[in-house]
């Protein structure tokens, strides 16, 4: 049903698969059935319509990362169209049809969209262009290479005859798919590489963008959910009269939904309702117990080997350290929500999701309706960050909707959004190194203890050796020239079977922090400048060396700083991209410590849109600093203690340093940028704090770590740290 | 418990029936279907719900409808009709501030209110006016730059190219 809506009849359609780089995977098609016959499953379509429009249908979702505009630019470039002549549609939910190449389902995340679509989208666009040119050439009985295309018009150069793509729709249909299609030389790019305004920008500025929370289907009502922050707690049902204002109260086994005409009324009723809970199935735990359990696992539980170089012999390390990372909330500004209409034999869902395929699967599982009878309207996302790849909230909304006979919009309060988050899991990592006479590592031993997300989320991505590749990403693939490396991972399960989830930056966020901070420790131990120390170890990583030198040069690395100021550096490879950040902090004031400046160098291959890349890096850095300074979910009696932005701090305007992002010119395959800034932000900051104060932070977030350090230490540093703590506390307090 | 209020919203008279305690945020969103004003925290911590009451920025999630009286409420849907609103929205597009965009209506309303008070704000004034508006995507550097662009017409920031036949024809073949 949906596919027929999608593919217009009478169009010239090139169907292709983002899941396959096989050139045979292209097919021309007038109908989806034809495309299906070609022994492959296309998941993306270029359609040239008789009215001259060119439509690109892709499975990615837009979260502010600019994917629609970037993919349109790639297509327009290879098809010789103007960017204004391409319309991008996101595909309807259908995981069988729209599986993403690097995700194995229809999901946008992990900085994979451009990485997965660059080659194949270019080939598809070039194929469509060549078939149109061949059609024109055969109509004129001239050689195809005597024709050129520009803005969707093909011209025979000698005679000056020309035809629009739209006039060639039928002819192109009859052309065979060419075997060899040359791609445009990078030097001839006229669209790729320019700061095009994103197609979603205008509506976002005018307040006209419809996010999931803005869906208002006719006759809908609003639901506020009463759910316990302690997992597995069940409400005890009581037969009380329906409070004034409430339309209905729906009871599920794990929550109550108060339904009213508007969300505020529903929330007010929910707030005043007294609910008794059955905690029989719960295992209450607090942060201290969680840390103890992780420590116990790290010391006693079996560790899986992620990498074991044959030359590693277990020499006595000269330096060792333990790094600890807390659970983190996503705290997207748009609280989790979904609107669902459950009718007799069909389901309609309005939601902003990173994973329409997972939403459809979940809806099918819960309702038993055939997938053709389930429609997922995907809206813009008020922040994804990995939270909106999950289906826990929409599943709850579906279960509520199945009990009522009108569309219901279920919105989580901010407190529920934070307390029922599927957080970035905590990690406890132990790292050590044996050093040569110059102080450089000859043996590197790294032991990570933490939860696996893939085990629950996509077990097919687990490695054959049992290692979750995400938990060791950035640790077992070190870019540094270190002769012998041994990396192990000890799986850990959260107490109370508490689920955890993806968070912007995924594995590299904790691994890059530990590696880059520990390397700073080694440089300090060797008495070598941390920038030069890294440079020496990166001699065989030319792209990393380039961003390292570029950032250091632009930051004027060797310029001396005044007393109380500090400068830190961190470099890394993640999501196939290369990044280096230099952060400066000012710790001179008795009232605050400030990030004053950040210089960041990025090599992400071909620059498709410099403006959106810089935006992603700026935002990613701020996301990372926010977590490094304040980010921590703490637990008491099995419940997350934080509830809103007064106790789950986000960085604010007055706390943001100047940020300069420098992009390396490159012809390499484009790579991920959405999470790159986040992963590199925190080690650069922590290294700058060390440079300014001499305090090495090994337990994030920085603010409480410094407070604890001050309590357990005295001496010359105390006065200085007292000042620091008062500044951090002030910044961390209620604004 | 419910009362009828005649409100002045975006220069239109709108009549709603609601409890006097109901925050304007939900009056706008759920009773009047003006969904540009966003819910983020419900306790005046994030600024996503910022609207103008007589030109001043207020958090509509804690502004009871019963307290509005004859005051003029302006929302993101209409702020572009004012000089400063139009300037701010244009600057927001030119250097492309928004990412996910959810907090931006509130950011823009706060920025316009700032320019209404201070036509050429210094950095510390931008900090003071804008530090109550959270952005999870981290668009703060561009918010600051866009406010300056709106105030002065000048910026060093990268300007976006607007997609269209004219922008396209500016692109030179090498």
């Amino acid at each position: 049903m949906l596919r027929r809506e999608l593919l217009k009849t009478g169009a010239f359609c090139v169907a292709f698969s983002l899941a396959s780089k096989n050139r045979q995977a292209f097919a021309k098609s007038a109908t989806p059935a034809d495309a299906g016959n070609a022994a492959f499953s296309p998941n993306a379509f270029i359609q040239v319509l008789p009215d001259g429009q060119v439509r690109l249908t892709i499975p990615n979702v837009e979260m502010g990362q600019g994917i629609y505009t970037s993919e349109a630019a790639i297509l327009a470039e290879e098809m010789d169209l103007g960017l204004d002549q391409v319309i991008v549609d996101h595909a309807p939910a259908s995981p069988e049809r729209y599986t993403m190449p690097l995700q194995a389902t229809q999901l946008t995340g992990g900085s994979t969209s451009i990485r997965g679509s660059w080659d194949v989208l270019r080939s598809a666009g070039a194929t469509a262009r060549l078939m149109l040119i061949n059609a024109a050439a055969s109509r004129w009985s001239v050689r195809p290479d005597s024709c050129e295309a520009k803005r969707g018009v093909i011209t025979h150069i000698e005679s000056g005859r020309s035809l629009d793509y739209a006039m060639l729709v039928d002819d192109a249909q009859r052309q065979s798919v060419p075997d060899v299609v040359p791609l445009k030389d990078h030097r001839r790019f006229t669209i790729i590489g320019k700061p095009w305004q994103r197609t979603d920008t205008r509506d976002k500025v005018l307040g006209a963008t419809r996010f999931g929370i803005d869906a208002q289907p006719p006759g809908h009502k609003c639901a506020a959910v009463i759910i316990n922050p302690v997992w597995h707690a069940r409400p005890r049902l009581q037969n009380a009269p329906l409070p004034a204002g409430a339309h209905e109260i729906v009871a599920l086994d794990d929550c109550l939904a108060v339904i009213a005409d508007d969300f505020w009324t529903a929330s007010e009723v929910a707030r005043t309702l007294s609910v008794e809970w059955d905690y029989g199935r719960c295992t209450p735990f607090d942060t201290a117990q969680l840390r103890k359990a992780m420590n116990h696992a790290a010391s006693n539980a079996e560790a899986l080997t992620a990498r074991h170089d044959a030359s590693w012999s277990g020499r006595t390390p000269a330096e060792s350290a333990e790094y600890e990372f807390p659970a983190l909330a996503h705290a997207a500004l748009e609280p989790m929500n979904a609107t669902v209409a459950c009718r007799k034999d069909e389901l309609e869902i309005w939601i902003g999701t990173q994973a329409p395929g997972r939403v459809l699967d979940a809806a099918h599982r819960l309702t038993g309706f055939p997938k053709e009878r389930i429609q997922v309207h995907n809206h813009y996302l008020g922040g994804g960050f990995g939270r909106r790849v999950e289906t826990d909230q929409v599943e709850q909304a579906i279960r509520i909707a199945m009990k009522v006979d009108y569309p219901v919009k279920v919105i989580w309060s901010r407190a529920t959004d934070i307390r029922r988050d599927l957080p970035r899991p905590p990690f406890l990592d132990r790292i050590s190194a044996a050093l040569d006479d110059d102080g450089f590592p000859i043996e590197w031993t790294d032991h990570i203890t933490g939860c696996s997300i893939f085990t629950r989320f996509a077990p097919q991505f687990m490695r054959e050796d049992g290692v979750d590749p995400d938990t060791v990403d950035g640790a077992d693939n070190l870019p540094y020239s270190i002769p012998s490396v041994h990396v192990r991972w000890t799986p850990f399960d959260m107490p109370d079977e508490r689920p955890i989830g993806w968070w912007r930056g995924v594995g590299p966020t904790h691994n890059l922090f530990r590696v880059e901070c520990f390397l700073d420790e080694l440089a300090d131990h060797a008495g070598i400048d941390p920038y030069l120390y890294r440079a020496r170890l990166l001699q065989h990583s030319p792209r990393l060396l380039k961003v390292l030198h570029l950032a250091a040069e632009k930051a004027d690395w060797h310029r001396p700083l005044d007393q109380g100021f500090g400068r830190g550096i961190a470099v890394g490879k993640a999501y196939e991209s290369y990044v280096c950040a230099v952060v400066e902090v000012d710790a001179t004031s008795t009232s605050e410590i400030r990030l004053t400046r950040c210089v960041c160098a990025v090599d992400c291959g071909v620059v498709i849109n410099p403006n959106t890349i810089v935006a992603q890096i700026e935002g990613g850095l701020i996301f990372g600093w926010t977590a490094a300074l304040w980010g921590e979910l703490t637990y008491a009696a099995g419940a997350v203690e934080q509830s809103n932005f007064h106790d789950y701090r986000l960085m604010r305007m007055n706390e943001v340093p100047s940020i300069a992002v420098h992009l390396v010119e490159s012809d390499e395959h484009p790579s991920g940028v959405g999470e790159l800034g986040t992963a590199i932000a925190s080690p650069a900051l922590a290294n700058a704090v060390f440079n300014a104060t001499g305090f090495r932070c090994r337990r994030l977030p920085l603010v409480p770590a410094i407070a604890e350090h001050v309590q357990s230490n005295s001496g010359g540093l105390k006065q200085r740290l007292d000042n620091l703590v008062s500044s951090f506390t002030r910044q961390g307090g209620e604004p | 418990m419910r009362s009828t209020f005649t409100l002045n919203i975006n220069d239109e008279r709108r009549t709603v029936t609601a409890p006097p305690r109901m925050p304007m945020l939900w009056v706008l969103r759920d009773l009047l279907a003006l969904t540009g004003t966003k819910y983020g925290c419900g306790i005046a911590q994030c600024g996503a719900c910022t609207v103008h009451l007589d030109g001043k920025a207020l958090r509509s999630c804690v502004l009871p409808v019963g307290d509005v009286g004859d005051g003029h409420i302006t929302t993101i849907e209409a702020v572009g009709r004012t000089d400063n609103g139009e300037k701010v929205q244009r600057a927001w597009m030119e250097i492309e501030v928004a990412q996910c965009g959810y907090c931006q209506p509130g950011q823009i309303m706060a920025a316009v209110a700032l320019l209404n008070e201070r036509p050429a704000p210094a950095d510390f004034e931008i900090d003071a006016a804008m530090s109550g508006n959270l952005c999870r995507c981290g668009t703060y550097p561009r918010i600051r730059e866009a406010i300056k662009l709106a105030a002065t017409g000048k910026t060093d920031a990268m300007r976006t190219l607007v997609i269209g036949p004219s922008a396209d024809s500016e692109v030179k073949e090498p």
Side-chain angles (χ1 to χ4, degrees):
Chain A
M1 171 188 73
L2 296 165
R3 302 245 302 158
R4 243 170 278 131
E5 284 170 21
L6 169 72
L7 296 177
K8 312 280 187 236
T9 50
F12 165 48
C13 176
V14 172
F16 59 104
S17 172
L18 288 171
S20 168
K21 290 185 179 177
N22 183 349
R23 288 274 318 122
Q24 301 306 314
F26 296 98
K28 65 196 157 82
S29 159
T31 67
D34 292 350
N37 288 341
F40 82 105
S41 309
N43 68 1
F45 303 89
I46 299 163
Q47 294 176 86
V48 182
L49 303 174
D51 65 4
Q53 263 184 6
V54 177
R55 277 181 181 274
L56 171 65
T57 305
I58 49 169
N60 313 98
V61 303
E62 176 66 57
M63 297 177 272
Q65 81 281 39
I67 193 64
Y68 291 176
T69 313
S70 291
E71 295 200 331
I74 297 169
L75 180 70
E77 189 73 76
E78 288 294 348
M79 271 191 86
D80 284 326
L81 289 161
L83 199 43
D84 57 306
Q85 296 173 297
V86 178
I87 294 170
V88 179
D89 288 331
H90 70 77
S94 177
E96 288 80 7
R97 302 281 187 201
Y98 297 110
T99 289
M100 292 301 296
L102 301 181
Q103 295 288 2
T105 183
Q106 186 181 352
L107 180 152
T108 303
S111 300
T112 53
S113 299
I114 289 290
R115 276 196 278 166
S117 62
W118 168 250
D119 290 327
V120 72
L121 187 51
R122 288 183 73 197
S123 290
T127 302
R129 172 187 170 278
L130 189 58
M131 287 168 76
L132 288 157
I133 285 184
N134 288 346
S138 87
R139 200 187 281 191
W140 294 326
S141 302
V142 300
R143 286 163 51 95
D145 61 8
S146 67
C147 303
E148 64 174 17
K150 197 174 178 184
R151 284 194 60 83
V153 179
I154 298 167
T155 305
H156 179 235
I157 302 166
E158 264 175 47
S159 66
R161 281 178 293 185
S162 67
L163 282 168
D164 286 359
Y165 286 177
M167 299 169 186
L168 293 160
V169 165
D170 291 335
D171 290 21
Q173 211 84 266
R174 291 191 289 271
Q175 293 290 319
S176 59
V177 179
D179 289 332
V180 181
V181 180
L183 299 181
K184 203 182 256 189
D185 188 300
H186 292 192
R187 280 161 300 189
R188 290 184 52 236
F189 285 166
T190 58
I191 296 172
I192 288 172
K194 297 204 160 47
W196 299 106
Q197 192 175 96
R198 297 199 320 261
T199 50
D200 52 315
T201 288
R202 188 178 170 78
D203 277 357
K204 284 178 176 174
V205 168
L206 299 177
T209 299
R210 306 285 282 185
F211 295 88
I213 204 169
D214 301 326
Q216 296 186 328
H220 83 284
K221 296 187 186 300
C222 296
V225 172
I226 306 172
I227 188 164
N228 201 298
V230 179
W231 248 257
H232 320 299
R234 289 161 172 267
R236 288 211 179 92
L237 294 182
Q238 52 233 336
N239 285 320
L242 195 65
H247 182 79
E248 191 169 353
I249 295 178
V250 171
L252 302 178
D253 58 359
D254 59 347
C255 69
L256 301 174
V258 178
I259 302 178
D261 287 336
D262 63 86
F263 181 66
W264 181 76
T265 303
S267 301
E268 284 296 288
V269 172
R271 200 168 54 83
T272 52
L273 222 54
S274 79
V275 179
E276 280 183 40
W277 295 89
D278 173 1
Y279 292 101
R281 289 151 46 101
C282 310
T283 316
F285 67 96
D286 60 26
T287 303
Q289 288 167 324
L290 172 62
R291 294 180 66 198
K292 203 173 154 193
M294 292 198 75
N295 195 48
H296 185 264
S299 301
N300 300 295
E302 190 199 350
L304 302 170
T305 299
R307 172 175 168 185
H308 189 171
D309 294 354
S311 57
W312 187 88
S313 64
R315 290 170 199 246
T316 308
E319 285 282 291
S320 60
E322 182 175 281
Y323 282 83
E324 197 179 338
F325 303 84
L328 295 170
H330 296 83
L333 255 282
E334 179 189 12
M336 295 299 283
N337 66 86
T339 304
V340 183
C342 185
R343 305 192 186 91
K344 191 162 69 70
D345 60 352
E346 64 176 18
L347 196 75
E348 224 175 327
I349 301 170
W350 294 262
I351 188 173
T353 175
Q354 291 175 253
R358 293 179 78 94
V359 172
L360 185 67
D361 285 342
H364 169 66
R365 194 175 69 242
L366 288 170
T367 61
F369 292 161
K371 289 186 183 175
E372 303 76 53
R373 308 299 301 169
I374 299 168
Q375 198 169 3
V376 180
H377 303 275
N378 203 8
H379 286 244
Y380 280 94
L381 286 68
F385 313 126
R387 181 64 180 96
R388 286 189 158 92
V389 301
E390 303 287 355
T391 56
D392 55 318
Q393 196 273 338
V394 66
E395 287 185 35
Q396 181 191 71
I398 292 167
R399 290 187 292 139
I400 294 166
M402 287 167 73
K403 297 206 165 196
V404 301
D405 54 6
Y406 41 82
V408 61
K409 171 151 63 177
V410 181
I411 303 175
W412 279 5
S413 68
R414 175 56 59 191
T416 299
D417 185 271
I418 288 180
R419 289 179 168 154
R420 298 289 302 202
D421 198 354
L422 309 186
R424 198 288 301 266
F427 284 93
L428 179 64
D429 303 336
R430 292 169 179 172
I431 190 165
S432 60
L435 306 173
D436 65 17
D437 293 343
D438 297 329
F440 287 90
I442 46 174
E443 282 203 352
W444 179 274
T445 309
D446 202 353
H447 178 201
I448 296 149
T449 298
C451 308
S452 163
I453 306 171
F454 271 131
T455 309
R456 166 184 68 85
F457 192 84
Q460 68 270 31
F461 283 107
M462 295 294 281
R463 283 173 23 179
E464 273 182 20
D465 58 10
V467 172
D468 178 327
D470 174 66
T471 59
V472 296
D473 189 3
D476 70 339
N477 45 357
L478 284 179
Y480 295 107
S481 297
I482 298 171
S484 302
V485 176
H486 187 200
V487 180
R488 292 179 307 152
W489 168 57
T490 296
F492 176 76
D493 288 324
M494 287 287 282
D496 202 23
E497 298 170 11
R498 193 62 54 93
I500 43 84
W502 301 114
W503 188 88
R504 187 179 194 177
V506 295
T509 48
H510 73 104
N511 288 327
L512 271 185
F513 183 86
R514 176 185 68 262
V515 167
E516 285 304 296
C517 288
F518 187 61
L519 213 73
D520 233 58
E521 296 194 45
L522 298 185
D524 185 56
H525 180 83
I528 300 173
D529 176 290
Y531 154 53
L532 300 175
Y533 190 87
R534 284 174 172 80
R536 171 149 157 205
L537 289 171
L538 290 173
Q539 290 308 315
H540 301 294
S541 304
R543 292 178 75 183
L544 269 181
L545 203 55
K546 195 167 182 177
V547 291
L548 179 79
H549 288 321
L550 180 60
E553 179 208 322
K554 296 287 184 186
D556 203 0
W557 175 263
H558 294 292
R559 180 175 49 84
L561 291 173
D562 291 340
Q563 185 71 27
F565 286 79
R567 188 185 284 137
I569 193 166
V571 65
K573 180 185 174 192
Y575 333 105
E576 307 295 326
S577 291
Y578 303 79
V579 64
C580 180
V582 175
V583 166
E584 290 179 8
V585 296
D586 171 357
T588 56
S589 160
T590 52
S591 64
E592 61 178 354
I593 185 167
R594 294 189 64 85
L595 280 93
T596 53
R597 180 175 179 231
C598 176
V599 175
C600 195
V602 174
D603 173 359
C604 57
V606 172
V607 170
I608 294 173
N609 184 328
N611 189 53
T612 52
I613 292 171
V614 170
Q616 284 301 301
I617 299 298
E618 289 169 348
L621 287 166
I622 290 168
F623 204 92
W625 292 324
T626 295
L629 289 167
W630 306 288
E632 182 174 26
L633 289 174
T634 57
Y635 298 87
V640 164
E641 294 183 288
Q642 288 68 30
S643 65
N644 210 315
F645 296 120
H646 66 285
D647 54 10
Y648 198 84
R649 281 276 274 118
L650 305 187
M651 191 170 249
R652 293 173 181 274
M653 171 69 96
N654 55 316
E655 294 154 345
V656 172
S658 77
I659 301 173
V661 181
H662 302 275
L663 304 181
V664 171
E665 264 190 54
S666 168
D667 281 343
E668 300 282 344
H669 194 287
S671 44
V673 295
E675 304 172 279
L676 200 59
T678 303
I680 209 67
S682 50
L685 168 61
N687 289 341
V689 169
F690 172 76
N691 186 240
T693 67
F695 172 63
R696 171 63 63 189
C697 179
R698 296 194 188 89
R699 181 185 165 205
L700 288 176
L702 277 158
V703 175
I706 289 177
E708 191 173 291
H709 179 79
V710 168
Q711 277 172 2
S712 62
N713 281 273
S714 56
L717 206 59
K718 188 171 184 318
Q719 180 63 45
R720 161 132 210 88
L721 285 169
D722 274 342
N723 292 339
L724 273 180
V725 167
S726 68
S727 87
F728 273 131
T729 312
R730 257 193 292 281
Q731 289 184 37
E734 292 195 25
Chain B
M1 298 223 292
R2 286 180 176 252
S3 314
T4 299
F5 301 93
T6 301
L7 303 166
N8 190 331
I9 296 171
N10 297 335
D11 291 326
E12 283 177 42
R13 308 296 282 178
R14 304 292 297 262
T15 301
V16 296
T17 303
R21 285 195 311 117
M22 186 171 184
M24 272 310 295
L25 170 64
W26 300 105
V27 171
L28 292 167
R29 290 185 56 84
D30 283 359
L31 304 189
L32 298 172
L34 288 168
T35 53
T37 305
K38 299 302 188 218
Y39 166 56
C41 69
I43 55 168
Q45 286 289 305
C46 78
C49 66
T50 306
V51 298
H52 291 179
L53 179 60
D54 296 325
K56 299 223 185 310
L58 281 177
R59 310 295 184 226
S60 67
C61 72
V62 292
L63 173 64
V65 61
D67 290 359
V68 173
D70 295 332
H72 287 239
I73 297 274
T74 308
T75 70
I76 187 69
E77 284 88 352
V79 76
R81 293 179 211 152
T82 66
D83 278 358
N84 278 336
E86 195 273 334
K87 266 196 278 186
V88 165
Q89 285 182 323
R90 190 149 36 88
W92 241 250
M93 290 183 216
E94 269 186 55
I95 64 167
E96 197 159 76
V97 172
Q99 288 185 30
C100 92
Y102 191 78
C103 73
Q104 298 299 340
Q107 304 281 2
I108 288 168
M109 297 308 288
V112 175
L114 167 64
L115 292 188
N116 288 346
E117 294 276 317
R118 309 285 300 173
D123 272 347
F124 75 90
E125 290 169 316
I126 295 176
D127 282 348
M130 303 302 294
S131 63
N133 285 75
L134 293 176
C135 172
R136 187 56 161 150
C137 299
T139 64
Y140 302 116
R142 290 174 186 226
I143 291 171
R144 182 188 303 283
E145 205 53 42
I147 290 172
K148 291 179 179 177
L149 172 60
T152 65
K154 286 183 235 148
T155 182
D156 295 330
M158 191 187 298
R159 291 186 193 237
T160 55
L161 294 170
V162 180
I163 295 169
S166 56
D168 214 58
S169 60
E170 286 165 19
V171 176
K172 303 270 190 304
E173 293 283 346

